[in-house]
Amino acid sequence: QLQEMIPDPFPFEEARRMFREPEVADTSATPAFKWSDPDVEGLKSYLIDEKQFGEERVLKAIERLKKCKGKSGQNRMEDFFGKATIIPNK
């Protein structure tokens, strides 16, 4: 059984600072996200050649992606449950 040992002395002040003041990315310079057609050749190259996924599996997944194109996104919860009704407190 592998157990991690707590260093002595433990840098608790640094650990606390990491939780209270985490490093965050500046998202103001992030470009807008835009859906586009998948890069089929890039997917195949990455998944099959670099990550050794099965070619048949990857091709099936790419076909499913292509079939989904143009279909609507998720339904609203109201479509499933019906319109919400608000009951006022007495």
Side-chain angles (χ1 to χ4, degrees):
Q1 182 179 16
L2 179 66
Q3 286 187 327
E4 296 292 325
M5 299 300 296
I6 297 174
D8 188 30
F10 182 75
F12 70 91
E13 290 176 3
E14 181 181 355
R16 181 177 291 135
R17 183 191 56 74
M18 289 174 68
F19 279 96
R20 290 188 173 177
E21 303 167 18
E23 291 182 22
V24 294
D26 178 17
T27 59
S28 63
T30 304
F33 182 78
K34 180 181 173 249
W35 283 105
S36 60
D37 292 337
D39 176 8
V40 173
E41 291 306 314
L43 279 172
K44 288 178 3 183
S45 172
Y46 177 73
L47 293 173
I48 297 169
D49 300 335
E50 293 183 36
K51 299 298 179 184
Q52 289 78 44
F53 277 64
E55 183 175 2
E56 185 177 322
R57 180 180 177 193
V58 171
L59 294 177
K60 283 182 182 180
I62 290 172
E63 285 305 312
R64 285 196 311 267
L65 276 175
K66 288 179 180 180
K67 286 180 184 177
C68 290
K69 186 175 182 205
K71 289 188 176 181
S72 65
Q74 293 180 331
N75 292 335
R76 297 177 56 87
M77 289 181 69
E78 292 172 350
D79 295 341
F80 183 78
F81 291 108
K83 187 173 179 180
T85 55
I86 299 173
I87 303 171
N89 290 336
K90 292 183 179 183

